[in-house]
Coordinates of all heavy atoms in Angstrom, one line a residue:
A556 N 9.9 12.2 3.3 CA 10.4 10.8 3.5 C 9.6 10.1 4.6 O 9.2 8.9 4.4 CB 11.9 10.8 4.0
V557 N 9.3 10.8 5.8 CA 8.6 10.1 6.9 C 7.0 10.4 6.7 O 6.5 11.4 7.2 CB 9.1 10.6 8.2 CG1 8.5 9.7 9.3 CG2 10.6 10.4 8.3
V558 N 6.4 9.5 6.0 CA 5.0 9.8 5.7 C 4.0 9.2 6.6 O 2.9 9.5 6.5 CB 4.8 9.2 4.2 CG1 5.6 10.0 3.1 CG2 5.1 7.7 4.0
V559 N 4.4 8.3 7.4 CA 3.5 7.8 8.6 C 4.3 8.1 9.8 O 5.4 7.6 10.1 CB 3.3 6.3 8.4 CG1 2.4 5.7 9.6 CG2 2.6 5.9 7.1
R560 N 3.6 8.9 10.7 CA 4.2 9.3 11.9 C 3.5 8.8 13.1 O 2.3 8.9 13.3 CB 4.2 10.9 11.9 CG 5.0 11.5 10.7 CD 5.1 13.0 10.6 NE 5.9 13.3 9.5 CZ 6.2 14.6 9.1 NH1 5.7 15.5 10.0 NH2 6.8 14.9 8.1
D561 N 4.4 8.2 14.0 CA 3.8 7.6 15.1 C 4.4 8.3 16.5 O 5.0 7.6 17.3 CB 4.2 6.1 15.2 CG 3.3 5.3 16.0 OD1 2.3 5.7 16.4 OD2 3.7 4.1 16.4
F562 N 4.5 9.5 16.4 CA 5.3 10.4 17.4 C 4.8 10.2 18.9 O 5.7 10.1 19.7 CB 5.3 11.9 17.0 CG 6.0 12.2 15.7 CD1 5.7 13.4 15.1 CD2 6.8 11.2 15.2 CE1 6.5 13.7 13.9 CE2 7.5 11.6 13.9 CZ 7.3 12.8 13.4
E563 N 3.4 10.1 19.0 CA 3.0 10.0 20.4 C 3.6 8.7 21.1 O 4.1 8.6 22.2 CB 1.6 10.0 20.4 CG 1.0 10.0 21.8 CD -0.6 10.0 21.9 OE1 -1.1 10.4 20.8 OE2 -1.1 9.8 22.9
R564 N 3.5 7.6 20.2 CA 4.0 6.2 20.8 C 5.5 6.3 21.0 O 6.0 5.7 21.9 CB 3.6 5.1 19.9 CG 4.0 3.7 20.5 CD 3.0 2.7 20.0 NE 2.9 2.7 18.5 CZ 2.0 2.0 17.9 NH1 1.1 1.2 18.6 NH2 2.0 2.1 16.6
A565 N 6.3 7.1 20.0 CA 7.6 7.2 20.2 C 8.1 7.8 21.4 O 9.0 7.5 22.0 CB 8.2 7.9 18.9
H566 N 7.4 8.9 21.9 CA 7.7 9.6 23.1 C 7.5 8.6 24.3 O 8.3 8.7 25.1 CB 6.7 10.8 23.2 CG 7.0 12.0 22.5 ND1 8.1 12.6 22.7 CD2 6.3 12.7 21.6 CE1 8.3 13.7 21.9 NE2 7.1 13.7 21.2
T567 N 6.5 7.7 24.2 CA 6.3 6.7 25.3 C 7.5 5.8 25.3 O 8.1 5.5 26.2 CB 4.9 6.0 25.0 OG1 3.9 7.0 25.2 CG2 4.8 5.0 26.2
E568 N 7.8 5.3 24.1 CA 9.0 4.4 24.0 C 10.2 4.9 24.4 O 11.1 4.3 25.1 CB 9.1 3.9 22.6 CG 7.9 3.0 22.1 CD 8.0 2.6 20.6 OE1 8.8 3.2 19.9 OE2 7.2 1.7 20.2
A569 N 10.5 6.2 24.2 CA 11.7 6.9 24.6 C 11.7 7.1 26.1 O 12.8 6.8 26.7 CB 11.8 8.3 24.0
R570 N 10.5 7.3 26.8 CA 10.5 7.4 28.1 C 10.9 6.1 28.8 O 11.6 6.0 29.8 CB 9.1 7.9 28.6 CG 8.9 8.0 30.2 CD 7.5 8.5 30.5 NE 6.5 7.8 29.8 CZ 6.1 6.6 30.3 NH1 6.6 5.9 31.5 NH2 5.0 6.0 29.7
L571 N 10.3 5.1 28.2 CA 10.5 3.7 28.8 C 12.1 3.3 28.6 O 12.6 2.7 29.4 CB 9.7 2.6 28.1 CG 8.2 2.7 28.4 CD1 7.4 1.9 27.5 CD2 7.9 2.5 29.9
A572 N 12.7 3.8 27.5 CA 14.1 3.6 27.2 C 14.9 4.4 28.4 O 15.8 3.7 28.9 CB 14.5 4.0 26.0
D573 N 14.5 5.5 28.7 CA 15.3 6.2 29.8 C 15.2 5.5 31.1 O 16.1 5.5 31.9 CB 14.7 7.7 29.8 CG 15.4 8.5 28.7 OD1 16.5 8.4 28.3 OD2 14.7 9.4 28.4
E574 N 14.0 5.1 31.3 CA 13.8 4.2 32.6 C 14.7 3.0 32.6 O 15.2 2.7 33.6 CB 12.2 3.9 32.8 CG 11.4 5.1 33.1 CD 9.9 4.8 33.0 OE1 9.6 3.6 32.8 OE2 9.1 5.6 33.2
A575 N 14.8 2.3 31.5 CA 15.6 1.2 31.5 C 17.0 1.5 31.6 O 17.8 0.9 32.3 CB 15.4 0.4 30.1
L576 N 17.5 2.6 30.9 CA 18.9 3.1 31.1 C 19.2 3.4 32.6 O 20.2 3.2 33.0 CB 19.1 4.3 30.2 CG 19.1 4.0 28.7 CD1 19.0 5.2 27.8 CD2 20.4 3.2 28.3
A577 N 18.2 4.1 33.2 CA 18.4 4.4 34.6 C 18.6 3.2 35.5 O 19.3 3.2 36.5 CB 17.2 5.3 35.1
R578 N 18.0 2.1 35.0 CA 18.3 0.8 35.8 C 19.5 0.1 35.4 O 19.8 -1.0 35.9 CB 17.0 -0.1 35.6 CG 15.7 0.4 36.0 CD 14.6 -0.7 36.1 NE 14.4 -1.2 34.7 CZ 13.5 -0.7 33.9 NH1 12.7 0.4 34.3 NH2 13.2 -1.2 32.7
G579 N 20.2 0.8 34.5 CA 21.4 0.0 34.0 C 21.2 -1.0 32.9 O 22.1 -1.9 32.7
E580 N 20.0 -0.9 32.4 CA 19.7 -2.0 31.3 C 19.7 -1.3 29.9 O 18.9 -0.4 29.6 CB 18.3 -2.4 31.6 CG 17.9 -3.1 32.9 CD 16.6 -3.4 33.2 OE1 15.6 -3.1 32.3 OE2 16.2 -3.8 34.3
Q581 N 20.8 -1.7 29.2 CA 20.9 -1.2 27.9 C 21.0 -2.3 26.9 O 22.1 -3.0 26.9 CB 22.2 -0.2 27.7 CG 22.2 0.4 26.4 CD 23.3 1.6 26.3 OE1 24.2 1.5 27.0 NE2 23.1 2.4 25.3
K582 N 20.0 -2.5 26.0 CA 20.1 -3.5 25.0 C 20.7 -2.7 23.7 O 21.2 -1.7 23.7 CB 18.7 -4.0 24.6 CG 18.1 -4.6 25.8 CD 16.7 -5.1 25.5 CE 15.9 -5.7 26.7 NZ 14.5 -6.2 26.4
A583 N 20.8 -3.6 22.7 CA 21.6 -3.1 21.4 C 21.1 -1.9 20.9 O 21.9 -1.1 20.4 CB 21.4 -4.2 20.3
L584 N 19.7 -1.6 21.0 CA 19.3 -0.4 20.2 C 18.5 0.6 21.2 O 17.6 1.4 20.9 CB 18.4 -0.7 19.2 CG 19.0 -1.4 18.0 CD1 18.0 -1.9 17.0 CD2 20.0 -0.5 17.4
T585 N 18.6 0.4 22.6 CA 17.9 1.1 23.6 C 17.9 2.7 23.3 O 19.0 3.2 23.4 CB 18.3 0.8 24.9 OG1 18.1 -0.6 25.3 CG2 17.5 1.6 26.0
G586 N 16.7 3.2 23.1 CA 16.7 4.7 22.8 C 17.2 5.2 21.5 O 17.0 6.4 21.3
I587 N 17.4 4.3 20.6 CA 17.7 4.8 19.3 C 16.7 5.1 18.4 O 15.7 4.3 18.2 CB 18.7 3.7 18.5 CG1 19.9 3.3 19.5 CG2 19.2 4.3 17.2 CD1 20.9 4.4 19.8
P588 N 16.6 6.4 17.8 CA 15.4 6.7 17.0 C 15.5 6.1 15.6 O 16.5 6.1 15.1 CB 15.5 8.3 16.8 CG 16.9 8.5 17.2 CD 17.5 7.4 18.2
M589 N 14.4 5.4 15.2 CA 14.4 4.7 14.0 C 13.1 4.9 13.2 O 12.1 5.4 13.8 CB 14.3 3.1 14.3 CG 15.7 2.5 14.5 SD 15.4 0.6 14.3 CE 15.0 0.4 12.5
T590 N 13.2 4.7 11.9 CA 11.9 4.7 11.1 C 12.1 3.3 10.3 O 13.1 2.7 10.3 CB 12.0 5.8 10.0 OG1 13.3 6.0 9.4 CG2 11.5 7.1 10.8
V591 N 10.9 2.9 9.8 CA 10.9 1.7 9.1 C 10.1 1.9 7.7 O 9.4 2.9 7.6 CB 10.2 0.5 9.8 CG1 11.0 0.2 11.0 CG2 8.7 0.9 10.1
K592 N 10.4 1.1 6.7 CA 9.7 1.3 5.4 C 8.2 1.0 5.5 O 7.8 0.3 6.2 CB 10.3 0.2 4.5 CG 9.9 0.3 3.0 CD 10.7 -0.6 2.1 CE 10.3 -0.6 0.7 NZ 11.2 -1.5 -0.1
E593 N 7.4 1.9 4.7 CA 6.0 1.8 4.8 C 5.4 0.4 4.5 O 4.3 0.0 5.0 CB 5.3 2.7 3.7 CG 3.9 3.1 4.0 CD 2.9 2.1 3.5 OE1 3.3 1.3 2.6 OE2 1.7 2.3 3.8
S594 N 6.1 -0.5 3.9 CA 5.7 -1.8 3.6 C 5.7 -2.8 4.7 O 5.1 -3.8 4.6 CB 6.6 -2.4 2.4 OG 7.9 -2.3 2.8
F595 N 6.1 -2.4 5.9 CA 6.2 -3.2 7.1 C 5.0 -2.8 8.0 O 4.6 -1.6 8.0 CB 7.4 -3.0 8.0 CG 8.6 -3.6 7.4 CD1 9.5 -2.9 6.5 CD2 9.0 -4.9 7.7 CE1 10.6 -3.4 6.0 CE2 10.2 -5.5 7.1 CZ 11.0 -4.7 6.3
D596 N 4.3 -3.8 8.6 CA 3.2 -3.5 9.4 C 3.7 -2.8 10.7 O 4.8 -3.1 11.3 CB 2.6 -4.8 9.9 CG 1.6 -5.4 8.8 OD1 1.3 -4.7 8.0 OD2 1.3 -6.5 9.1
L597 N 3.0 -1.6 11.0 CA 3.2 -1.0 12.2 C 1.9 -0.8 13.0 O 0.9 -0.2 12.4 CB 3.9 0.4 12.0 CG 4.3 1.3 13.3 CD1 5.3 0.5 14.0 CD2 4.8 2.6 12.8
R598 N 1.7 -1.5 14.2 CA 0.5 -1.6 14.7 C -0.3 -0.3 14.8 O 0.2 0.8 15.3 CB 0.7 -2.1 16.2 CG -0.6 -2.3 16.9 CD -0.4 -3.1 18.3 NE 0.6 -2.4 19.1 CZ 0.3 -1.4 20.0 NH1 -0.9 -1.1 20.0 NH2 1.2 -1.0 20.7
G599 N -1.6 -0.3 14.4 CA -2.4 0.9 14.3 C -2.3 1.7 13.2 O -3.0 2.7 13.0
H600 N -1.5 1.4 12.1 CA -1.4 2.1 11.0 C -1.5 1.3 9.7 O -1.4 0.1 9.8 CB -0.1 2.8 10.9 CG 0.3 3.7 12.0 ND1 -0.1 5.0 11.9 CD2 1.1 3.6 13.2 CE1 0.2 5.7 13.1 NE2 0.9 4.8 13.8
A601 N -1.8 1.9 8.6 CA -2.1 1.2 7.3 C -0.8 0.8 6.8 O 0.3 1.4 7.0 CB -2.8 2.1 6.3
T602 N -0.8 -0.4 6.1 CA 0.3 -0.8 5.3 C -0.1 -0.9 3.8 O -0.7 -1.8 3.4 CB 0.8 -2.3 5.8 OG1 0.8 -2.4 7.2 CG2 2.0 -2.7 5.1
T603 N 0.1 0.2 3.1 CA -0.6 0.3 1.8 C 0.2 -0.1 0.7 O -0.3 -0.3 -0.4 CB -1.0 1.8 1.5 OG1 0.2 2.6 1.4 CG2 -1.7 2.3 2.8
W604 N 1.6 -0.1 0.7 CA 2.4 -0.4 -0.3 C 2.2 0.7 -1.5 O 2.4 0.4 -2.7 CB 2.4 -1.8 -1.0 CG 3.0 -2.8 0.1 CD1 2.9 -2.9 1.4 CD2 3.8 -3.9 -0.4 NE1 3.6 -4.1 1.8 CE2 4.1 -4.6 0.8 CE3 4.2 -4.4 -1.5 CZ2 4.9 -5.8 0.8 CZ3 5.0 -5.6 -1.7 CH2 5.3 -6.3 -0.5
G605 N 1.7 1.8 -1.1 CA 1.4 2.9 -2.2 C 0.1 2.7 -2.8 O -0.2 3.5 -3.8
F606 N -0.8 1.8 -2.4 CA -2.1 1.7 -3.1 C -3.3 2.2 -2.2 O -3.4 1.8 -1.1 CB -2.3 0.1 -3.2 CG -1.5 -0.7 -4.2 CD1 -0.7 -1.7 -3.8 CD2 -1.5 -0.4 -5.5 CE1 0.1 -2.4 -4.8 CE2 -0.8 -1.1 -6.4 CZ 0.1 -2.0 -6.0
P607 N -4.0 3.1 -2.9 CA -5.1 3.7 -2.2 C -6.2 2.7 -1.6 O -6.7 2.9 -0.5 CB -5.8 4.7 -3.2 CG -4.7 4.9 -4.1 CD -3.8 3.8 -4.2
L608 N -6.3 1.5 -2.4 CA -7.3 0.6 -1.9 C -6.9 -0.1 -0.6 O -7.8 -0.7 0.2 CB -7.4 -0.6 -2.9 CG -6.2 -1.5 -3.2 CD1 -6.3 -2.7 -2.3 CD2 -6.1 -2.0 -4.7
H609 N -5.6 0.1 -0.1 CA -5.3 -0.5 1.3 C -5.2 0.6 2.3 O -4.7 0.4 3.4 CB -3.9 -1.1 1.1 CG -3.9 -2.2 0.2 ND1 -4.8 -3.3 0.5 CD2 -3.0 -2.6 -0.7 CE1 -4.4 -4.3 -0.4 NE2 -3.4 -3.9 -1.2
S610 N -5.7 1.9 2.0 CA -5.5 2.9 2.9 C -6.4 2.7 4.2 O -6.0 3.2 5.2 CB -6.0 4.3 2.3 OG -5.2 4.6 1.2
E611 N -7.5 2.0 4.2 CA -8.3 1.8 5.3 C -7.8 0.7 6.2 O -8.3 0.3 7.2 CB -9.6 1.5 5.0 CG -10.3 2.7 4.1 CD -10.2 4.1 4.9 OE1 -10.5 4.0 6.1 OE2 -9.9 5.0 4.3
H612 N -6.7 -0.2 5.7 CA -6.2 -1.3 6.4 C -5.5 -0.7 7.7 O -4.8 0.3 7.7 CB -5.3 -2.0 5.6 CG -4.4 -2.8 6.4 ND1 -3.1 -2.5 6.7 CD2 -4.5 -4.1 6.9 CE1 -2.4 -3.5 7.4 NE2 -3.4 -4.5 7.4
V613 N -5.8 -1.4 8.8 CA -5.0 -1.1 10.0 C -4.3 -2.3 10.5 O -5.0 -3.3 10.8 CB -6.0 -0.5 11.1 CG1 -5.3 -0.3 12.4 CG2 -6.7 0.7 10.6
A614 N -3.0 -2.2 10.7 CA -2.2 -3.3 11.1 C -2.5 -3.7 12.6 O -2.6 -2.8 13.3 CB -0.7 -3.2 11.0
R615 N -2.8 -4.9 12.9 CA -3.2 -5.3 14.3 C -1.9 -5.5 15.1 O -2.0 -5.4 16.4 CB -4.1 -6.6 14.3 CG -5.4 -6.4 13.7 CD -6.2 -7.7 13.8 NE -7.5 -7.5 13.2 CZ -8.5 -8.5 13.2 NH1 -8.2 -9.7 13.7 NH2 -9.7 -8.2 12.7
E616 N -0.8 -5.8 14.5 CA 0.5 -6.0 15.3 C 1.6 -5.5 14.4 O 1.5 -5.4 13.1 CB 0.7 -7.4 15.7 CG 0.7 -8.4 14.6 CD 0.9 -9.8 15.2 OE1 0.8 -10.0 16.3 OE2 1.2 -10.8 14.3
D617 N 2.8 -5.3 14.9 CA 4.0 -5.0 14.2 C 4.5 -6.2 13.5 O 4.3 -7.3 13.8 CB 5.1 -4.5 15.1 CG 4.8 -3.2 15.9 OD1 3.9 -2.4 15.4 OD2 5.3 -3.1 17.1
A618 N 5.1 -5.8 12.3 CA 5.9 -6.9 11.6 C 6.9 -7.4 12.4 O 7.3 -6.9 13.5 CB 6.5 -6.2 10.4
L619 N 7.3 -8.7 12.2 CA 8.3 -9.4 13.1 C 9.5 -8.7 13.2 O 10.1 -8.6 14.3 CB 8.4 -10.9 12.5 CG 9.2 -11.8 13.5 CD1 8.7 -11.8 14.9 CD2 9.3 -13.1 12.9
A620 N 10.1 -8.2 12.2 CA 11.3 -7.4 12.2 C 11.1 -6.2 13.1 O 12.0 -5.9 13.9 CB 11.7 -7.0 10.7
V621 N 10.0 -5.5 13.1 CA 9.8 -4.4 13.9 C 9.6 -4.8 15.3 O 10.2 -4.1 16.2 CB 8.5 -3.7 13.4 CG1 8.2 -2.4 14.3 CG2 8.7 -3.1 12.0
Q622 N 9.0 -5.9 15.7 CA 8.9 -6.5 17.0 C 10.2 -6.7 17.5 O 10.5 -6.3 18.7 CB 8.2 -7.7 17.0 CG 6.7 -7.6 16.6 CD 5.9 -9.0 16.6 OE1 6.3 -9.9 17.3 NE2 5.0 -9.1 15.8
R623 N 11.2 -7.2 16.7 CA 12.5 -7.5 17.2 C 13.3 -6.2 17.4 O 14.1 -6.1 18.4 CB 13.2 -8.5 16.2 CG 12.5 -9.8 16.3 CD 13.2 -10.8 15.3 NE 12.6 -12.1 15.4 CZ 12.9 -13.2 14.6 NH1 13.9 -13.1 13.7 NH2 12.3 -14.3 14.9
L624 N 13.2 -5.2 16.6 CA 13.9 -4.0 16.7 C 13.4 -3.3 18.1 O 14.2 -2.8 18.8 CB 13.6 -3.1 15.5 CG 14.3 -3.5 14.3 CD1 13.6 -2.9 13.1 CD2 15.8 -3.3 14.3
K625 N 12.0 -3.3 18.3 CA 11.5 -2.7 19.5 C 11.9 -3.5 20.7 O 12.2 -2.8 21.8 CB 9.9 -2.7 19.5 CG 9.4 -1.6 18.5 CD 7.8 -1.5 18.6 CE 7.3 -0.5 17.7 NZ 5.9 -0.3 17.9
A626 N 12.0 -4.8 20.6 CA 12.5 -5.6 21.7 C 13.9 -5.3 22.1 O 14.4 -5.5 23.2 CB 12.3 -7.1 21.4
A627 N 14.7 -4.9 21.1 CA 16.1 -4.4 21.3 C 16.1 -3.0 21.8 O 17.2 -2.5 22.0 CB 16.9 -4.7 20.0
G628 N 14.9 -2.3 21.9 CA 15.0 -1.1 22.6 C 14.8 0.3 21.6 O 14.8 1.4 22.1
A629 N 14.7 -0.2 20.3 CA 14.5 1.0 19.4 C 13.2 1.7 19.6 O 12.2 1.2 19.9 CB 14.5 0.3 17.9
V630 N 13.4 3.1 19.3 CA 12.2 4.0 19.3 C 11.8 4.2 18.0 O 12.5 4.9 17.2 CB 12.5 5.2 20.0 CG1 11.5 6.3 20.0 CG2 13.0 5.0 21.5
I631 N 10.6 3.8 17.6 CA 10.2 3.9 16.2 C 9.3 5.1 15.9 O 8.3 5.2 16.6 CB 9.2 2.5 15.7 CG1 10.1 1.3 16.1 CG2 9.0 2.6 14.3 CD1 11.3 1.1 15.4
L632 N 9.8 6.0 15.1 CA 9.2 7.3 14.9 C 8.0 7.2 13.9 O 7.1 8.0 14.0 CB 10.3 8.2 14.4 CG 11.4 8.4 15.3 CD1 12.5 9.3 14.6 CD2 11.0 9.2 16.5
G633 N 8.1 6.3 12.9 CA 7.1 6.2 12.0 C 7.7 5.3 10.7 O 8.6 4.5 10.9
K634 N 7.0 5.6 9.5 CA 7.2 4.9 8.5 C 7.6 5.7 7.2 O 7.1 6.8 7.1 CB 6.1 3.8 8.1 CG 5.7 2.8 9.1 CD 5.0 1.6 8.5 CE 3.6 1.9 8.0 NZ 3.0 0.7 7.6
T635 N 8.4 5.2 6.2 CA 8.9 6.0 5.2 C 8.4 5.6 3.9 O 7.9 4.4 3.6 CB 10.4 5.8 5.2 OG1 10.8 4.6 5.2 CG2 11.0 6.6 6.3
N636 N 8.5 6.5 2.9 CA 7.6 6.4 1.7 C 8.2 5.4 0.6 O 9.4 5.0 0.6 CB 7.7 7.7 0.9 CG 6.4 7.9 0.0 OD1 5.5 7.2 0.1 ND2 6.6 8.8 -0.8
V637 N 7.3 4.9 -0.2 CA 7.6 3.9 -1.1 C 6.8 4.1 -2.5 O 5.9 4.9 -2.5 CB 7.1 2.3 -0.7 CG1 7.9 2.1 0.6 CG2 5.5 2.4 -0.5
P638 N 7.2 3.5 -3.6 CA 6.4 3.5 -4.8 C 5.3 2.4 -4.7 O 5.4 1.5 -3.9 CB 7.4 3.3 -5.9 CG 8.3 2.2 -5.2 CD 8.4 2.8 -3.8

Side-chain angles (χ1 to χ4, degrees):
V557 186
V558 294
V559 176
R560 300 181 177 184
D561 204 20
F562 293 164
E563 184 176 346
R564 186 155 50 193
H566 280 300
T567 299
E568 291 173 352
R570 176 177 55 78
L571 293 174
D573 280 332
E574 291 173 1
L576 290 165
R578 295 192 299 269
E580 300 170 4
Q581 186 173 24
K582 299 178 181 177
L584 298 175
T585 298
I587 304 301
M589 273 195 66
T590 46
V591 300
K592 189 175 180 176
E593 198 275 346
S594 52
F595 289 90
D596 284 344
L597 186 61
R598 182 170 56 86
H600 295 280
T602 309
T603 71
W604 288 41
F606 291 118
L608 67 91
H609 295 311
S610 295
E611 300 305 315
H612 162 263
V613 176
R615 295 183 178 180
E616 62 181 7
D617 296 329
L619 185 50
V621 177
Q622 292 177 31
R623 292 178 178 179
L624 291 164
K625 286 186 174 182
V630 174
I631 307 299
L632 301 168
K634 302 204 290 183
T635 50
N636 207 22
V637 298

